[in-house]
Amino acid sequence: MNLPDPQRLLADMHQALNTHLRLKRIDTPRFIGIRTGGVWVADALIAARGLDEPLGVLDVSFYRDDFTQNGLHPQVQPSELPFEIEGQHLVLVDDVLMTGRTTRAALNELFDYGRPASVTLVCLLDLNARELPIRPDVVGATLPLSPDQRIKLTGPRPLALELQALAPADL
């Protein structure tokens, strides 16, 4: 399988996001990246806008519904939101949307900080393997994968996509 070039996807996403924000009449969005890959993608989108905007960072580890099954990731860090959430138009950015559970966890955490005016979901890749009814508003590409495959974003500079095969014990 040939994986798309993240730089090309980001250029297309930048255009699509600008169109989306213009149609929604959102002038001052607040960007929040889901750690780690979502932060890298959000940072690249902010840079493409050519503005000096603060970037919020979410670590959703404590909000995941599989926390009790999988335990705590050893590199959990606190979320950093350098702006108010209440009444803001948020652009929530993740690298890969698979089941939708990470996005659900991110929304749960955001609402603990306040009630945003809106949340726009932006993802570099959609793997179309949803378990929850969550879809991105802006997406770089949709890739169908077999159950034994995963995609990993490496970075932050340069951003690259890596196809990974799961061992039978991980399925």
Side-chain angles (χ1 to χ4, degrees):
M1 167 187 290
N2 288 333
L3 297 177
D5 175 19
Q7 297 311 312
R8 287 189 181 157
L9 296 179
L10 285 165
D12 293 343
M13 290 169 64
H14 170 67
Q15 296 278 4
L17 179 58
N18 284 344
T19 299
H20 176 84
L21 294 174
R22 189 177 62 254
L23 291 173
K24 296 285 185 179
R25 296 191 169 117
I26 298 172
D27 296 324
T28 55
R30 299 294 189 182
F31 283 76
I32 299 174
I34 299 174
R35 188 169 275 131
T36 299
V39 174
W40 299 338
V41 174
D43 193 44
L45 291 171
I46 289 172
R49 290 172 57 85
L51 301 174
D52 186 22
E53 301 176 32
L55 172 61
V57 176
L58 282 183
D59 189 320
V60 300
S61 298
F62 290 114
Y63 286 81
R64 292 194 53 94
D65 60 5
D66 59 0
F67 173 72
T68 56
Q69 295 169 347
N70 298 334
L72 191 59
H73 192 277
Q75 299 192 344
V76 173
Q77 298 176 21
S79 294
E80 303 164 27
L81 297 171
F83 42 76
E84 291 293 320
I85 297 301
E86 187 74 31
Q88 298 293 320
H89 293 282
L90 306 178
V91 176
L92 181 61
V93 184
D94 202 2
D95 54 351
V96 178
L97 174 62
M98 189 167 162
T99 63
R101 294 184 182 281
T102 297
T103 303
R104 185 212 46 85
L107 291 169
N108 284 355
E109 182 172 356
L110 286 174
F111 275 82
D112 279 354
Y113 286 95
R115 185 179 188 274
S118 69
V119 179
T120 297
L121 180 60
V122 176
C123 297
L124 185 68
L125 294 177
D126 180 355
L127 300 185
N128 213 11
R130 269 172 226 83
E131 295 173 2
L132 300 174
I134 293 174
R135 296 205 185 301
D137 297 295
V138 175
V139 65
T142 300
L143 297 177
L145 295 183
S146 67
D148 64 334
Q149 294 178 316
R150 295 292 182 270
I151 296 283
K152 179 177 172 93
L153 179 67
T154 61
R157 290 179 185 85
L159 289 176
L161 294 171
E162 180 181 291
L163 184 63
Q164 299 178 327
L166 294 179
D170 294 332
L171 293 177

